[in-house]
């Protein structure tokens, strides 16, 4: 096992001192190591970095308690302190490190930035290649529990015909991907990078999925319609966030969705405004205080906030959204030093310009999870995507749908892409 190169430390999205080891023994085709500069990747965080994290959490300068009995003033003190106690006394990063290092991980430079990705090929013949994109405040962590069911369906209640080859990249500026050193990395550029990644992996036909920022990337991928893209699946209706005024608001379901969007726009989108306008400013706190980073990430939407707060206060987790999994995600942001670079992605999208975008011409599948910021009705999905080929409202799940409910999420993808396998 060799140590990290200087280029990997500086370009690989790694905080100062974080060690990245490279190995070829990752259970994946050795051809990866030479084809188009694809390099195996492995994580090894020095003990001093973990000790520094615990020390910083323990030394947190706490605010006074909120003056209300709900989250209208932000993340509540009791929840934040409970998270910090677990982080310093019971959380084990090495458990997560072993988990992710057991997966085939790689990096490859695309358009000047190192892209980190997990690539798991199914053992089933005829598996359909699928690239899935995480969001914010998530990461590849939110998708890990779907790997088994998607790639090895016969063990998880499916059939061999449901199998996918799975590619999970980290968006530039997130996780172990490189932090862009120049402007222009908005979601359409990331979509172009994903098309190049799938080309490098040798996939001539594939599908794509995304939620949150990943939904914007996947929406753009659908509009680019690169050779080989068969269709896309989304679990956040991006066009509604771009321009809700054009959507129909006649039925009770449409009015409810519109009301939820307005609530989010007036009381729940503080993080979006700050990251879209002043990402560097909030970055000072996100890179200096682990608890500030955690609070910023928790304060995303009401549904996920309550699920996360309750689990740290001793209640049963909502699906798979456990204390360990939540802190895997937050710790990944902290140890890679990507709080500000991930925030800048919002600034990039806000400053990308308002040019017209081509329509999506490939089939579009949509899953409207009930706990999302707003549950988009079928009429909105059809209005936004005339090529809508699948729409369903699962019974559970929210913003972190794949993370909370990997079984339901897997079932959605199997149903969404089943008709495209023969194309």
């Amino acid at each position: 096992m060799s140590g990290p190169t200087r280029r990997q430390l500086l370009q690989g999205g790694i905080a100062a001192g974080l060690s990245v080891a490279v190995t070829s023994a990752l259970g994946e085709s050795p051809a990866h190591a030479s084809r188009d500069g694809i390099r195996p990747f492995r994580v090894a965080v020095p003990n001093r970095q973990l000790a520094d994290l615990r020390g910083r959490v323990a030394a947190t300068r706490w605010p006074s308690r909120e003056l209300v009995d709900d989250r209208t003033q932000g993340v509540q003190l009791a929840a934040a302190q409970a998270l910090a106690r677990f982080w310093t006394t019971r959380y084990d990063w090495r458990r997560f490190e072993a988990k992710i290092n057991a997966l085939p991980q790689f990096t490859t430079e695309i358009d000047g930035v190192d892209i980190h990705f997990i690539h798991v090929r199914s053992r089933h013949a005829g598996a359909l290649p699928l690239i899935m994109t995480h969001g914010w405040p998530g990461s590849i962590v939110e998708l890990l529990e779907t790997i088994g069911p998607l790639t090895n369906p016969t063990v998880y209640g499916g059939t061999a015909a449901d199998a996918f080859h799975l590619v999970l990249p980290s968006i530039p500026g997130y996780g172990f991907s490189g932090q862009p050193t120049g402007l222009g990395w908005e979601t359409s550029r990331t979509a172009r990078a994903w098309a190049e990644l799938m080309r490098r992996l040798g996939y001539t036909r594939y599908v794509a999925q995304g939620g949150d920022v990943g939904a914007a990337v996947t929406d753009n991928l659908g509009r680019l319609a690169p050779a080989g893209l068969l269709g896309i699946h989304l679990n956040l209706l991006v066009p509604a966030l771009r321009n809700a005024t054009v959507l129909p608001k006649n039925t009770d379901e449409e009015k409810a969705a519109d009301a939820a969007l307005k609530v989010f726009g007036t009381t729940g989108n503080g993080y979006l405004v700050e990251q879209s306008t002043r990402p560097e400013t909030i970055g000072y706190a996100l890179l200096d205080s682990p608890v500030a980073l955690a609070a910023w990430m928790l304060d995303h939407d009401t549904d996920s906030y309550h699920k996360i707060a309750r689990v740290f206060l001793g209640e049963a987790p909502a699906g798979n959204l456990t204390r360990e999994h939540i802190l895997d995600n937050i710790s990944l942001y902290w140890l890679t030093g990507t709080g500000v670079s991930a925030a800048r992605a919002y600034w990039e999208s806000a400053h990308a310009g308002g040019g017209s975008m081509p329509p999506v011409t490939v089939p579009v599948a949509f899953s409207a999870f009930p706990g999302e910021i707003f549950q988009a009705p079928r009429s909105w999905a059809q209005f936004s995507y005339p090529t809508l080929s699948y729409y369903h409202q699962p019974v559970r799940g929210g913003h972190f749908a794949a993370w909370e409910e990997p079984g339901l999420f897997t079932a959605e993808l199997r149903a969404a892409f089943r008709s495209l396998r023969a194309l």
Side-chain angles (χ1 to χ4, degrees), residues 110-322:
I110 300 177
D111 201 6
V113 175
D114 278 352
I115 303 298
H116 167 264
F117 63 99
I118 294 169
H119 183 202
V120 182
R121 288 184 58 84
S122 174
R123 63 185 179 86
H124 296 292
L128 180 62
L130 165 63
I131 183 168
M132 294 208 302
T133 311
H134 64 82
W136 187 94
S139 66
I140 55 171
V141 171
E142 63 182 290
L143 303 174
L144 295 182
E145 302 307 311
T146 68
I147 293 176
L150 289 171
T151 62
N152 195 11
T154 56
V155 177
Y156 295 87
T159 67
D162 293 322
F164 293 91
H165 299 311
L166 196 56
V167 180
L168 305 179
S170 296
I171 298 171
Y174 288 72
F176 298 117
S177 278
Q179 298 184 19
T181 57
L183 298 176
W185 275 97
E186 30 70 43
T187 53
S188 65
R189 188 171 177 181
T190 301
R192 291 193 295 272
W194 280 193
E196 170 60 15
L197 175 60
M198 295 304 275
R199 185 200 67 78
R200 291 187 187 184
L201 294 175
Y203 291 130
T204 57
R205 54 190 299 278
Y206 62 94
V207 292
Q209 194 283 328
D212 191 76
V213 176
V217 172
T218 305
D219 171 277
N220 274 281
L221 194 60
R223 296 178 192 280
L224 292 170
L229 180 67
L230 303 178
I232 63 174
H233 174 274
L234 308 168
N235 53 287
L236 180 67
L237 194 66
V238 176
L241 294 173
R242 289 175 178 154
N243 187 9
T245 60
V246 301
L247 296 170
K249 303 174 183 67
N250 302 313
T251 68
D252 289 343
E253 191 178 22
E254 291 167 350
K255 292 175 182 177
D258 185 56
L261 260 177
K262 288 177 179 175
V263 169
F264 174 72
T266 55
T267 65
N269 69 340
Y271 75 90
L272 190 151
V273 173
E274 183 72 13
Q275 294 189 162
S276 297
T277 59
R278 293 293 188 273
E280 198 72 14
T281 301
I282 189 61
Y284 292 103
L286 303 184
L287 292 179
D288 187 64
S289 167
V291 169
L293 174 67
W296 188 251
M297 294 171 68
L298 262 61
D299 200 17
H300 178 271
D301 67 277
T302 299
D303 180 74
S304 66
Y305 170 74
H306 284 310
K307 289 172 179 174
I308 292 171
R310 286 197 297 263
V311 73
F312 279 104
L313 292 172
E315 296 187 28
N320 209 41
L321 205 59
T322 67

Side-chain angles (χ1 to χ4, degrees), residues 358-370:
V360 176
T361 55
V362 299
V364 176
F366 191 85
S367 297
F369 286 88

Side-chain angles (χ1 to χ4, degrees), residues 44-65:
V45 177
N47 286 328
R48 65 179 180 277
Q49 295 285 38
L50 300 178
D52 176 72
L53 168 58
R54 288 190 292 270
R56 286 173 181 261
V57 175
T60 298
R61 186 179 180 185
W62 295 100
S64 57
R65 186 187 179 281

